[in-house]
Structures are given as structure tokens and as C-alpha cells.
């Protein structure tokens, strides 16, 4: 089958909606438009039933009880609710929060905001493989520590943190444990019991569901965890997140979870094989290529590579029919290297020379082979040229 261009290989930024998810959502844009909070007629009951069905599908994916699932607008909101909600609720107990350097900005910036209101935040470093050292964490915990927030898997390098070990430590020390699982949910097995997780954030659009909907799992027993709401109103979601529920989005997230749970073993084997084919293909055609972050503790769909001597931005422009991300971000007209790669100890030059490939459910082997060819010829061409000045910021078509 001929491949279609452009090729999407940026599945850590967002994933396409699975057609089966879209199909499940459609009736809730049409005849089943009711408000799930309407208790007095069948329109409301149908919407509520759909929401409760989705709650069960989501709970099943992470080994939770449906009552522990709170709907939000996405992982950014879930992270805010978890961190600010615990900070407010447990303020009497202490004012110390622990996180780590490669978290998503939705965690880091939320912690920064807490600092402004008198909280103390410890940001743990990561080792060369991208994982925290659990001994560092153990040493950082004080009697004032009320929250540990560590992501399941990183959005740039796909590195998986030692979550069960951290969970056991948090439990032993009586500290609430929040996990940002936006990249991990639906890709690798998660069990909130075995992993010792108290709060867990999920985003539908990273797992073939729609944008603008997510979940915060909030543990109800052993121990019962409470968070203060950040959005007040009609008392939806047991008062923890007011606002009329996004019924079509929630139905889509439920379906996405059902599909991920059922297809995970086959899908992770398939995407890992595609990822390895990509890596081996690149390695067979190019030298001075390094993989960033642990290979062993890594999402099956992630490959983050630095091509020495090449600007990632230039490489991306050279392979314009392939959608990927580079390890540089444009901030106020300056190109900054990724803080994640810098935290892992990668020098500025190699951080600028990096590309993130995010494989997904709809990529094929033919696409991978095409991408290998495009990357190899573009890197070779760029390396032959004299060193180029860094490209300007902004979208260049
Ligand atoms: C995408 C992402 C988020 C933000 O999720 P949204 O639903 O887009 O707000 C948070 N954390 C991680 C690790 C992510 O990959």
C-alpha cells in the first residue's frame, strides 16, 4: 500500500481519535444530548448512564473503583487539582512538596505557584538514564512533607520512573503520592493498588480519545485521600470538580480506555517493534547517533535521538513531510534546549540536535522505512554542509 504524506510520528503531543472512539461519541452530540446532572427525565438519565459506564471503563484500566474517578478537562487540570488540592487540604500537616526535574510544566509550574504562597518544593535531579534515585527521594522526605508528585513516563524521552518503589516509600512515610500518567496510561500496565498511587492524572487525547477531557483518580481507602476543589459551583463530581460534564468527551475517554486495555499486549509489542526498526534503520545508515534516556525503562512508542553536528530544527525542516518534535523550544524568539534533556545531563549542543519520534497505533512499517530514509539523507546532507547558524524561530513552511 502506498504511504500517505505527511506522516504523523508525534504521538506524545497528541494522538488521533480512534474511529471506534469517534463512533461511540457521536450519539452524544445528537439525540443523546442530555445533561448528566438532570435527574428528572430520560434525557438526563441516558447521559448519566453513559458517564457511569465510562467511569467503569476508566477504572478498569488502572485497577481503581469507579467512585475514585473524577472527570476534568485534561491532565493539566488533573495535575493542578491534585497538587493544589492536596496543598490546601493538608496544609495543617505540613508545607513541603517533592517533585522531580523532568516533570511536565503542568506539574513544575503548579509547584512554582505553591512556592509563592509559602510552600517549600524540593525538585529532585534525575540520573543519566532519566530516572530519579529513590535514595534521593527517601532523604528528601521530612515530617513536613505532604505530597510526592512523580510522573509515570516522560513525554520527551519516554523514560518510566520506578513508580511501585516510590509508592511503597510514600506509603511507609505516610505521604500522599500523585502520578502524572498522561503518557503512560493505555500504553503500559498501571495498577493503582500495586503501584501504591493515591492520585493519578490521565488525558484522553494522549490515548486515542478526544481533546479537552481527562481524569483524576483520587484514592478512597487505605488511605482515604481528599483534595480541596479548585473549581467551585454546582457540586458535580462529589464537589471536587464542579461544571456540567462533557458527556461526549467522557464517553470517548471510556471507549479509549476499553480499547487500550484490550489491545495493550499486542499494541505495545507492535509499536516497540516499529520503534526498534526505526532505531536500527537510523543506526545502520548514520553514525554519531545517541539515544537519550534509558532504553530499558522506556515507553514502547518513544524514541528520542541526538544526531551530532545537526540542528534538530534544521533536520525537522528538512523532513517536512514527517511530523516529529525537536528537543528545542522557541521561547520569546530564542531557541532554548529542552529542560528535560538538560536535566538528563545532555550538553546543549546534543540537546539542540535531538528529535523525538512518537510512534502510535496508526503508524506502519512502511512509514517507518520512509522516515528512516528521509532522516538518513537529510542528516547526511546537513552534516556535509558547513556548520549552519541556528535557524530562526517560528514556523517555516
Ligand atoms: C500532555 C501532557 C500533559 C498535559 O495534558 P493536557 O490534557 O494536554 O492538559 C501533562 N503531563 C504530561 C506528561 C503530558 O504528556
Amino acid at each position: 500500500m502506498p504511504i500517505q504524506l505527511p506522516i504523523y510520528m508525534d504521538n506524545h503531543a497528541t494522538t488521533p481519535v480512534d474511529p471506534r472512539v469517534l463512533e461511540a461519541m457521536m450519539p452524544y452530540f445528537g439525540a443523546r444530548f442530555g445533561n448528566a446532572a438532570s435527574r428528572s427525565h430520560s434525557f438526563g438519565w441516558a447521559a448519566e448512564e453513559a458517564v457511569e459506564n465510562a467511569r467503569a471503563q476508566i477504572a478498569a484500566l488502572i485497577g481503581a473503583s469507579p467512585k475514585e474517578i473524577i472527570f476534568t478537562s485534561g491532565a493539566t487540570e488533573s495535575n493542578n487539582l491534585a497538587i493544589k488540592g492536596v496543598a490546601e487540604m493538608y496544609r495543617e500537616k505540613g508545607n513541603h512538596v517533592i517533585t522531580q526535574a523532568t516533570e511536565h510544566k503542568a506539574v513544575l509550574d503548579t509547584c512554582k505557584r505553591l512556592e509563592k504562597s509559602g510552600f517549600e518544593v524540593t525538585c529532585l535531579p534525575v540520573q543519566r538514564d532519566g530516572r530519579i534515585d529513590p535514595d534521593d527521594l527517601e532523604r528528601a522526605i521530612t515530617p513536613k512533607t505532604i505530597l510526592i508528585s512523580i510522573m509515570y513516563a516522560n513525554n520527551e524521552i519516554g523514560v518510566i520512573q520506578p513508580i511501585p518503589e516510590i509508592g511503597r516509600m510514600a506509603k511507609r512515610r505516610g505521604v500522599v503520592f500523585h502520578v502524572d500518567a498522561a503518557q503512560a496510561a493505555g500504553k503500559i500496565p498501571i495498577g493503582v493498588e500495586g503501584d501504591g498511587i493515591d492520585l493519578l492524572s490521565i488525558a484522553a487525547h494522549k490515548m486515542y480519545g478526544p481533546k479537552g477531557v481527562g481524569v483524576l483518580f483520587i484514592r478512597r481507602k487505605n488511605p482515604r485521600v481528599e483534595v480541596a476543589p479548585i473549581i467551585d459551583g454546582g457540586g458535580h463530581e462529589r464537589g471536587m470538580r464542579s461544571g456540567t460534564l462533557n458527556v461526549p468527551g467522557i464517553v470517548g475517554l471510556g471507549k479509549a480506555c476499553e480499547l487500550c486495555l484490550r489491545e495493550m499486549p499486542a499494541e505495545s509489542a507492535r509499536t516497540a517493534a516499529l520503534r526498534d526498526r526505526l532505531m536500527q534503520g537510523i543506526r545502520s545508515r548514520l553514525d554519531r547517533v545517541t539515544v537519550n534516556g534509558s532504553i530499558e525503562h522506556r515507553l514502547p512508542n518513544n524514541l528520542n535521538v541526538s544526531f551530532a553536528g545537526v540542528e534538530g530544527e534544521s533536520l525537522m525542516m528538512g523532513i517536512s513531510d514527517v511530523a516529529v518534535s525537536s528537543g528545542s523550544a522557541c521561547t520569546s524568539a530564542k531557541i532554548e534546549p529542552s529542560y528535560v534533556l538538560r536535566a538528563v545531563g545532555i550538553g546543549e549542543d546534543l540537546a539542540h540536535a535531538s528529535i523525538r519520534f512518537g510512534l502510535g497505533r496508526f503508524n506502519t512499517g512502511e512509514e517507518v522505512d520512509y522516515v528512516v530514509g528521509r532522516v538518513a539523507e537529510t542528516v547526511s546532507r546537513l552534516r556535509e554542509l558547513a556548520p549552519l547558524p541556528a535557524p530562526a524561530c517560528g514556523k517555516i513552511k
Side-chain angles (χ1 to χ4, degrees):
M1 215 174 67
I3 54 169
Q4 275 206 24
L5 298 176
I7 292 169
Y8 189 72
M9 223 171 256
D10 199 17
N11 285 279
H12 299 294
T14 194
T15 51
V17 174
D18 189 296
R20 295 167 291 180
V21 168
L22 181 62
E23 193 191 318
M25 292 170 69
M26 288 308 277
Y28 298 90
F29 289 112
R32 292 188 216 164
F33 61 85
N35 185 329
S38 297
R39 291 281 153 76
S40 51
H41 48 69
S42 63
F43 296 88
W45 303 332
E48 192 194 4
E49 192 186 327
V51 166
E52 293 317 313
N53 182 47
R55 220 184 281 281
Q57 288 169 313
I58 297 155
L61 180 70
I62 58 171
S65 143
K67 285 187 184 142
E68 298 174 309
I69 302 298
I70 298 292
F71 291 111
T72 67
S73 63
T76 297
E77 187 190 328
S78 296
N79 290 342
N80 272 264
L81 176 56
I83 296 166
K84 292 173 181 167
V86 164
E88 188 180 330
M89 194 57 96
Y90 295 79
R91 180 111 218 205
E92 315 272 79
K93 196 186 158 214
N95 70 339
H96 182 227
V97 172
I98 302 173
T99 186
Q100 61 89 23
T102 68
E103 290 294 309
H104 191 273
K105 289 287 183 189
V107 166
L108 293 179
D109 288 355
T110 304
C111 288
K112 267 193 203 142
R113 178 146 335 258
L114 287 186
E115 275 184 328
K116 289 191 188 133
S117 52
F119 283 86
E120 274 180 40
V121 177
T122 300
C123 191
L124 301 173
V126 292
Q127 307 169 104
R128 189 72 209 197
D129 66 356
R131 306 177 100 207
I132 64 160
D133 179 346
D135 292 338
D136 287 345
L137 175 59
E138 183 95 68
R139 279 190 291 270
I141 301 173
T142 77
K144 292 266 168 232
T145 308
I146 53 169
L147 177 69
I148 296 168
S149 181
I150 305 283
M151 68 198 329
Y152 219 118
N154 184 266
N155 43 297
E156 289 190 33
I157 52 180
V159 168
I160 299 168
Q161 295 290 350
I163 294 298
E165 198 175 342
I166 301 168
R168 281 193 294 276
M169 195 182 295
K171 180 146 260 178
R172 193 162 7 98
R173 305 290 297 264
V175 180
V176 174
F177 181 31
H178 166 247
V179 175
D180 176 354
Q183 294 293 338
K187 316 283 168 46
I188 55 174
I190 295 179
V192 291
E193 289 308 319
D195 292 344
I197 297 168
D198 297 315
L199 298 159
L200 182 107
S201 304
I202 295 179
H205 77 101
K206 304 283 176 74
M207 47 185 295
Y208 310 98
K211 290 165 189 61
V213 60
V215 148
L216 182 64
F217 154 80
I218 306 180
R219 175 173 291 284
R220 293 227 321 164
K221 55 174 196 274
N222 308 317
R224 182 183 181 88
V225 174
E226 289 184 285
V227 301
I230 54 178
I231 298 180
D232 293 299
H236 308 75
E237 299 298 273
R238 295 188 289 119
M240 280 184 276
R241 205 285 193 172
S242 287
T244 299
L245 292 180
N246 169 4
V247 178
I250 288 167
V251 168
L253 172 52
K255 185 70 187 179
C257 288
E258 182 201 303
L259 295 173
C260 283
L261 182 60
R262 194 168 67 221
E263 298 177 0
M264 191 183 297
E267 178 160 305
S268 61
R270 200 187 76 88
T271 45
L274 288 178
R275 188 264 313 275
D276 295 346
R277 179 164 165 174
L278 179 62
M279 185 161 68
Q280 279 149 20
I282 290 171
R283 281 237 162 97
S284 72
R285 306 250 324 240
L286 295 168
D287 58 6
R288 292 187 294 146
V289 173
T290 48
V291 175
N292 299 313
S294 169
I295 310 255
E296 189 191 348
H297 303 285
R298 199 182 192 97
L299 291 174
N301 63 330
N302 176 277
L303 184 63
N304 188 306
V305 223
S306 290
F307 300 92
V310 173
E311 285 284 347
E313 296 283 305
S314 312
L315 174 52
M316 271 203 313
M317 279 175 229
I319 55 167
S320 56
D321 52 6
V322 181
V324 292
S325 281
S326 84
S328 314
C330 282
T331 50
S332 56
K334 206 166 114 233
I335 297 186
E336 298 278 1
S338 142
Y339 68 90
V340 171
L341 296 180
R342 300 290 284 131
V344 172
I346 291 156
E348 195 157 332
D349 284 357
L350 277 183
H352 277 307
S354 78
I355 294 287
R356 175 185 73 180
F357 299 92
L359 290 137
R361 184 175 286 169
F362 302 107
N363 287 123
T364 65
E366 288 72 33
E367 288 180 337
V368 166
D369 296 342
Y370 178 84
V371 171
V372 167
R374 294 285 283 132
V375 168
E377 68 199 27
T378 310
V379 169
S380 304
R381 180 167 53 78
L382 290 170
R383 280 179 177 170
E384 275 165 25
L385 299 171
L388 281 175
C393 264
K395 292 199 169 51
I396 299 176
K397 284 270 167 183

